Amino acid sequence: MSDAAQPTAAEVRAAAEAVKAALDRHLQAVEARDGDDDPAVYEAFNALAAAAEAYDERLYDRYDEVTPFEIPGAEDSLPPYAGPEEPHALSVMIRRDYAVVEPQRLLAQAQRIADLEADEDGPEAAAVVGGSAHAAIGVLFGEYEPDEIASRHKEFGLEEGDSTLWVSAAEELSDPGEWLEAPFEQADPERIVCRFDVSAVFDDEAADEDAGRD
Protein backbone atom coordinates (compact mmCIF):
# COMPACT_ATOMS: atom_id res chain seq x y z
CA MET A 1 0.00 0.00 0.00
CA SER A 2 1.50 3.32 -1.07
CA ASP A 3 1.85 6.24 1.34
CA ALA A 4 1.52 8.82 -1.46
CA ALA A 5 -1.78 10.63 -1.97
CA GLN A 6 -3.95 8.05 -0.27
CA PRO A 7 -7.69 8.72 -0.53
CA THR A 8 -9.51 9.44 2.68
CA ALA A 9 -12.03 7.07 4.19
CA ALA A 10 -14.74 9.54 3.16
CA GLU A 11 -13.56 9.42 -0.47
CA VAL A 12 -13.70 5.62 -0.46
CA ARG A 13 -17.21 5.77 0.99
CA ALA A 14 -18.25 8.30 -1.67
CA ALA A 15 -16.88 6.03 -4.41
CA ALA A 16 -18.89 3.14 -2.97
CA GLU A 17 -22.05 5.25 -2.98
CA ALA A 18 -21.34 6.20 -6.60
CA VAL A 19 -21.25 2.49 -7.50
CA LYS A 20 -24.59 1.94 -5.80
CA ALA A 21 -26.13 4.85 -7.68
CA ALA A 22 -24.66 3.61 -10.97
CA LEU A 23 -26.10 0.15 -10.30
CA ASP A 24 -29.55 1.66 -9.78
CA ARG A 25 -29.28 3.70 -13.00
CA HIS A 26 -28.11 0.66 -14.94
CA LEU A 27 -31.02 -1.45 -13.68
CA GLN A 28 -33.48 1.32 -14.51
CA ALA A 29 -32.06 1.59 -18.04
CA VAL A 30 -32.30 -2.18 -18.52
CA GLU A 31 -35.89 -2.27 -17.24
CA ALA A 32 -36.88 0.54 -19.60
CA ARG A 33 -34.78 -0.56 -22.57
CA ASP A 34 -36.08 0.06 -26.06
CA GLY A 35 -34.71 -2.85 -28.12
CA ASP A 36 -31.51 -4.83 -27.83
CA ASP A 37 -29.27 -1.92 -28.82
CA ASP A 38 -30.75 0.81 -26.60
CA PRO A 39 -28.03 3.50 -26.20
CA ALA A 40 -29.28 4.31 -22.70
CA VAL A 41 -28.30 0.82 -21.54
CA TYR A 42 -24.90 1.14 -23.20
CA GLU A 43 -24.28 4.51 -21.49
CA ALA A 44 -25.43 3.17 -18.12
CA PHE A 45 -23.11 0.18 -18.51
CA ASN A 46 -20.12 2.42 -19.18
CA ALA A 47 -21.01 4.65 -16.23
CA LEU A 48 -21.23 1.61 -13.96
CA ALA A 49 -17.89 0.31 -15.25
CA ALA A 50 -16.21 3.69 -14.58
CA ALA A 51 -17.71 3.94 -11.09
CA ALA A 52 -16.66 0.39 -10.21
CA GLU A 53 -13.11 1.00 -11.43
CA ALA A 54 -12.83 4.22 -9.40
CA TYR A 55 -14.09 2.46 -6.28
CA ASP A 56 -11.72 -0.46 -6.78
CA GLU A 57 -8.74 1.90 -7.08
CA ARG A 58 -9.66 3.93 -4.00
CA LEU A 59 -10.41 0.81 -1.96
CA TYR A 60 -7.01 -0.61 -2.78
CA ASP A 61 -5.11 2.64 -2.24
CA ARG A 62 -6.73 3.18 1.16
CA TYR A 63 -7.18 -0.33 2.55
CA ASP A 64 -5.05 -2.59 0.34
CA GLU A 65 -8.20 -4.52 -0.61
CA VAL A 66 -9.88 -5.31 -3.93
CA THR A 67 -13.40 -6.08 -5.07
CA PRO A 68 -14.32 -9.68 -5.95
CA PHE A 69 -15.57 -8.73 -9.41
CA GLU A 70 -14.18 -7.09 -12.49
CA ILE A 71 -16.20 -4.93 -14.91
CA PRO A 72 -14.50 -4.06 -18.21
CA GLY A 73 -13.99 -0.38 -18.87
CA ALA A 74 -15.60 1.45 -21.76
CA GLU A 75 -12.37 1.32 -23.76
CA ASP A 76 -12.50 -2.50 -23.68
CA SER A 77 -16.07 -2.84 -24.94
CA LEU A 78 -17.35 -3.07 -28.47
CA PRO A 79 -19.20 -0.12 -30.02
CA PRO A 80 -23.01 -0.11 -29.70
CA TYR A 81 -24.59 -2.94 -31.63
CA ALA A 82 -26.13 -1.69 -34.88
CA GLY A 83 -27.00 -4.97 -36.58
CA PRO A 84 -30.39 -6.57 -37.14
CA GLU A 85 -32.56 -7.03 -34.05
CA GLU A 86 -33.37 -10.60 -35.12
CA PRO A 87 -30.34 -12.02 -36.98
CA HIS A 88 -31.23 -14.60 -39.61
CA ALA A 89 -27.61 -15.39 -40.50
CA LEU A 90 -24.22 -15.36 -38.79
CA SER A 91 -20.66 -14.90 -40.00
CA VAL A 92 -17.92 -16.43 -37.83
CA MET A 93 -14.54 -14.82 -38.47
CA ILE A 94 -11.46 -16.40 -36.94
CA ARG A 95 -7.84 -15.33 -36.94
CA ARG A 96 -5.11 -17.41 -35.30
CA ASP A 97 -1.41 -16.57 -35.52
CA TYR A 98 1.35 -19.17 -35.28
CA ALA A 99 5.14 -19.05 -35.31
CA VAL A 100 6.96 -21.89 -37.06
CA VAL A 101 9.42 -22.75 -34.29
CA GLU A 102 10.37 -26.29 -35.37
CA PRO A 103 10.44 -26.41 -39.19
CA GLN A 104 11.75 -29.98 -39.29
CA ARG A 105 8.84 -31.19 -37.16
CA LEU A 106 6.43 -29.37 -39.47
CA LEU A 107 7.99 -30.98 -42.54
CA ALA A 108 8.07 -34.44 -40.96
CA GLN A 109 4.42 -34.32 -39.93
CA ALA A 110 3.34 -33.12 -43.37
CA GLN A 111 5.39 -35.84 -45.06
CA ARG A 112 3.79 -38.47 -42.81
CA ILE A 113 0.33 -37.29 -43.92
CA ALA A 114 1.40 -37.33 -47.56
CA ASP A 115 2.80 -40.85 -47.21
CA LEU A 116 -0.44 -42.11 -45.65
CA GLU A 117 -2.41 -40.63 -48.53
CA ALA A 118 -0.08 -42.34 -50.97
CA ASP A 119 -0.69 -45.68 -49.27
CA GLU A 120 -4.46 -45.18 -49.52
CA ASP A 121 -4.83 -43.57 -52.95
CA GLY A 122 -1.71 -44.56 -54.81
CA PRO A 123 1.67 -42.80 -55.29
CA GLU A 124 0.25 -40.38 -57.86
CA ALA A 125 -2.01 -38.83 -55.16
CA ALA A 126 0.83 -38.08 -52.74
CA ALA A 127 1.88 -34.49 -52.12
CA VAL A 128 5.56 -33.72 -52.61
CA VAL A 129 6.68 -32.04 -49.38
CA GLY A 130 10.46 -32.32 -49.45
CA GLY A 131 11.95 -29.25 -47.79
CA SER A 132 9.16 -26.85 -48.73
CA ALA A 133 7.48 -25.20 -45.76
CA HIS A 134 4.77 -23.87 -48.10
CA ALA A 135 3.91 -27.40 -49.24
CA ALA A 136 4.00 -28.69 -45.65
CA ILE A 137 1.60 -25.98 -44.44
CA GLY A 138 -0.75 -26.71 -47.34
CA VAL A 139 -0.77 -30.42 -46.50
CA LEU A 140 -1.29 -29.75 -42.79
CA PHE A 141 -4.18 -27.32 -43.14
CA GLY A 142 -5.69 -29.42 -45.91
CA GLU A 143 -5.81 -32.46 -43.64
CA TYR A 144 -6.89 -31.02 -40.28
CA GLU A 145 -9.64 -28.65 -39.16
CA PRO A 146 -8.35 -25.34 -37.70
CA ASP A 147 -9.57 -26.28 -34.20
CA GLU A 148 -7.59 -29.52 -34.29
CA ILE A 149 -4.46 -27.68 -35.38
CA ALA A 150 -5.01 -25.22 -32.52
CA SER A 151 -5.23 -28.05 -29.99
CA ARG A 152 -2.24 -29.97 -31.44
CA HIS A 153 -0.05 -27.10 -32.64
CA LYS A 154 3.03 -28.26 -30.72
CA GLU A 155 2.96 -31.59 -32.57
CA PHE A 156 3.31 -29.66 -35.82
CA GLY A 157 6.22 -27.48 -34.72
CA LEU A 158 4.04 -24.40 -34.22
CA GLU A 159 3.79 -21.89 -31.40
CA GLU A 160 0.55 -20.03 -30.72
CA GLY A 161 0.31 -16.26 -31.05
CA ASP A 162 -2.78 -14.11 -30.63
CA SER A 163 -6.18 -15.32 -31.74
CA THR A 164 -9.64 -13.80 -32.05
CA LEU A 165 -13.09 -14.99 -32.97
CA TRP A 166 -15.88 -12.63 -34.08
CA VAL A 167 -19.50 -13.66 -34.42
CA SER A 168 -21.23 -11.12 -36.65
CA ALA A 169 -24.98 -10.89 -37.27
CA ALA A 170 -26.55 -10.52 -40.70
CA GLU A 171 -30.08 -10.20 -42.00
CA GLU A 172 -29.62 -12.94 -44.59
CA LEU A 173 -27.04 -15.44 -45.75
CA SER A 174 -24.68 -14.20 -48.47
CA ASP A 175 -25.00 -15.64 -51.95
CA PRO A 176 -22.57 -18.49 -52.72
CA GLY A 177 -19.17 -17.10 -53.65
CA GLU A 178 -20.21 -13.49 -52.94
CA TRP A 179 -17.45 -12.62 -50.47
CA LEU A 180 -14.74 -15.14 -51.32
CA GLU A 181 -12.46 -12.59 -53.01
CA ALA A 182 -12.37 -10.39 -49.88
CA PRO A 183 -13.64 -12.54 -46.99
CA PHE A 184 -12.86 -10.11 -44.15
CA GLU A 185 -13.71 -6.84 -45.88
CA GLN A 186 -17.15 -6.64 -44.29
CA ALA A 187 -16.02 -7.22 -40.70
CA ASP A 188 -18.11 -4.50 -39.05
CA PRO A 189 -17.56 -4.07 -35.26
CA GLU A 190 -21.08 -2.66 -34.90
CA ARG A 191 -22.55 -5.99 -36.07
CA ILE A 192 -20.55 -8.14 -33.64
CA VAL A 193 -22.80 -10.22 -31.40
CA CYS A 194 -19.89 -11.58 -29.37
CA ARG A 195 -16.10 -11.64 -29.57
CA PHE A 196 -13.45 -13.79 -27.91
CA ASP A 197 -9.77 -12.80 -27.80
CA VAL A 198 -6.77 -14.82 -26.61
CA SER A 199 -3.37 -13.18 -26.16
CA ALA A 200 -0.33 -13.52 -23.94
CA VAL A 201 -0.60 -9.78 -23.30
CA PHE A 202 -3.62 -10.44 -21.08
CA ASP A 203 -1.54 -12.80 -18.93
CA ASP A 204 1.22 -10.19 -18.74
CA GLU A 205 -1.24 -7.50 -17.67
CA ALA A 206 -2.68 -9.76 -14.97
CA ALA A 207 0.81 -10.58 -13.72
CA ASP A 208 1.73 -6.88 -13.62
CA GLU A 209 -1.41 -6.09 -11.63
CA ASP A 210 -0.68 -8.88 -9.14
CA ALA A 211 2.93 -7.70 -8.78
CA GLY A 212 1.79 -4.12 -8.22
CA ARG A 213 -0.47 -5.19 -5.38
CA ASP A 214 2.15 -7.22 -3.48
Side-chain angles (χ1 to χ4, degrees):
M1 181 165 50
S2 172
D3 293 331
Q6 289 185 9
T8 64
E11 288 173 331
V12 178
R13 173 62 60 179
E17 294 299 326
V19 172
K20 296 176 187 178
L23 276 169
D24 287 337
R25 288 194 296 271
H26 182 261
L27 179 57
Q28 291 169 3
V30 170
E31 291 173 335
R33 74 188 311 162
D34 182 17
D36 292 339
D37 56 346
D38 190 336
V41 176
Y42 179 74
E43 292 171 4
F45 172 87
N46 286 338
L48 175 57
E53 183 178 4
Y55 171 61
D56 189 81
E57 290 178 354
R58 286 169 174 76
L59 184 70
Y60 176 75
D61 289 343
R62 177 69 187 183
Y63 298 111
D64 202 18
E65 290 289 344
V66 296
T67 56
F69 53 85
E70 181 177 345
I71 300 177
E75 68 276 9
D76 299 323
S77 61
L78 290 167
Y81 178 72
E85 184 172 344
E86 296 292 336
H88 295 290
L90 296 174
S91 291
V92 180
M93 291 163 281
I94 302 174
R95 172 172 174 171
R96 293 189 176 115
D97 286 359
Y98 297 96
V100 180
V101 292
E102 296 184 75
Q104 292 306 315
R105 181 182 289 271
L106 172 67
L107 294 168
Q109 290 283 19
Q111 189 62 62
R112 181 183 62 81
I113 296 168
D115 291 343
L116 288 174
E117 291 178 349
D119 291 339
E120 294 175 359
D121 302 327
E124 67 280 359
V128 179
V129 176
S132 170
H134 285 181
I137 291 168
V139 169
L140 182 66
F141 282 85
E143 176 70 14
Y144 297 110
E145 294 289 334
D147 287 344
E148 186 168 3
I149 292 176
S151 65
R152 299 174 57 186
H153 62 278
K154 291 183 179 179
E155 294 179 36
F156 307 128
L158 304 176
E159 182 179 279
E160 286 184 308
D162 289 353
S163 67
T164 188
L165 181 150
W166 291 18
V167 181
S168 177
E171 294 176 355
E172 60 184 19
L173 197 63
S174 300
D175 292 334
E178 180 180 344
W179 48 257
L180 290 180
E181 291 186 2
F184 304 109
E185 190 175 60
Q186 298 177 349
D188 184 353
E190 292 188 353
R191 285 179 170 257
I192 301 302
V193 178
C194 54
R195 173 178 174 172
F196 304 95
D197 298 322
V198 177
S199 175
V201 71
F202 301 142
D203 298 333
D204 294 340
E205 290 174 355
D208 290 342
E209 289 177 2
D210 291 341
R213 294 185 176 185
D214 288 342

